[in-house]
Structures are given as C-alpha cells and as structure tokens.
Amino acid sequence: MLKEIEVEGVGIMRHLNDWQSARLASLRGPNRSIAPMAFGLGMTLRQFRQLTPDQQKAAWDAHNRLTAPPAPERREEPASWLPRPRERVSEERQIMIGRKLLQVKAQLPHGHFGPWIDKESGITRKQAARFMKAAKQPRQSG
C-alpha cells in the first residue's frame, strides 16, 4: 500500500490524518472537492487554487493512486480450482477451495467479495461460505 507520492514541483501527497478528515467532513460547497488534494499536500485551499492546472491535475492523479484500492493479483483462473455446477466435492477439496476463497477475499476491497462470487466464481455465496468455514475449522484426526 502506498503511503506517499511525490508530485513534481508541488510537494508530497500523503493520506489525510484524523484532523484533516474531520475538517473535510465539515466543508460544504466547491471547497469540498479540492480539499482532499490540498490537505494531502499540506496546503491550504487558497494555496491549492493558486497551482497551475497541470499541477492540480498531477495532484488529483497522485490522490487517486494513493486512495485507490489495490488490484487483486490473479494467480490462476477460478475455473481451474472451483467446482463445476452440481459436482460433488470431497472434504479435502472443500478445504482447498475454502483457503483459495479466503485468499481472494483478503485481496479484494471491503464489500467486493460477494459480487465477485456472483460474477466470477460460478458458485453460490452459500457454497463459498461453506467452503471457507471448512478451511477455518481445525482438522479432526481419526
């Protein structure tokens, strides 16, 4: 995860601190749209408005790169490890699938795993929950 990005000729863009976030929440009007860039660069709104349009665009780009969620890495196609429709899945395979689903879930931003299951996986959310539960449970010997 990126912590800061240098904006050439302007300064260093950083994540907002708690005070800056609270200040942003209280702003209204046109200042609200430029405040994250100004605050992230350690500037006042007036200082940010005095930047050239190219510098402001560079600040917007840096802010977007800094705050965008990371793209999940795709190591292998889901079709290769997910069960086919109506396929019986052994307990061992359920655990393996559950572990892979937990990895995918960890890579996605909050709230994106359910839609990923619906669109990409070909399994139901209930099946995914069952597989992940099997992966989390301690193994019984015997």
Side-chain angles (χ1 to χ4, degrees):
M1 175 182 210
L2 290 172
K3 300 287 183 195
E4 58 185 36
I5 297 175
E6 184 167 352
V7 181
E8 194 168 329
V10 179
I12 296 176
M13 176 69 71
R14 293 185 175 91
H15 289 280
L16 300 182
N17 62 30
D18 292 339
W19 183 87
Q20 290 167 327
S21 296
R23 177 75 175 110
L24 178 63
S26 69
L27 288 175
R28 300 288 176 252
N31 289 335
R32 184 166 170 76
S33 64
I34 64 168
M37 277 60 64
F39 295 167
L41 289 167
M43 298 179 161
T44 64
L45 296 170
R46 180 178 291 163
Q47 289 171 326
F48 185 80
R49 277 192 224 98
Q50 290 174 350
L51 296 175
T52 67
D54 289 339
Q55 290 174 322
Q56 288 183 8
K57 183 182 180 330
W60 276 93
D61 293 342
H63 174 75
N64 290 339
R65 282 187 303 171
L66 197 61
T67 58
E73 296 176 20
R74 295 194 90 173
R75 297 202 175 124
E76 55 183 289
E77 282 298 312
S80 66
W81 53 270
L82 286 168
R84 293 182 310 273
R86 295 189 237 4
E87 176 185 359
R88 289 186 180 261
V89 181
S90 69
E91 185 177 336
E92 290 291 321
R93 186 140 180 255
Q94 285 184 23
I95 292 168
M96 184 271 303
I97 292 169
R99 286 182 182 147
K100 291 198 181 235
L101 288 171
L102 288 168
Q103 289 174 354
V104 170
K105 184 175 182 177
Q107 292 175 348
L108 293 172
H110 180 75
H112 286 82
F113 183 66
W116 181 87
I117 289 291
D118 297 338
K119 285 182 177 176
E120 304 288 329
S121 70
I123 62 174
T124 66
R125 289 186 188 202
K126 191 171 183 176
Q127 285 175 308
R130 189 172 65 242
F131 295 151
M132 291 187 297
K133 183 178 178 183
K136 290 179 185 177
Q137 289 180 342
R139 300 283 313 257
Q140 300 289 330
S141 60

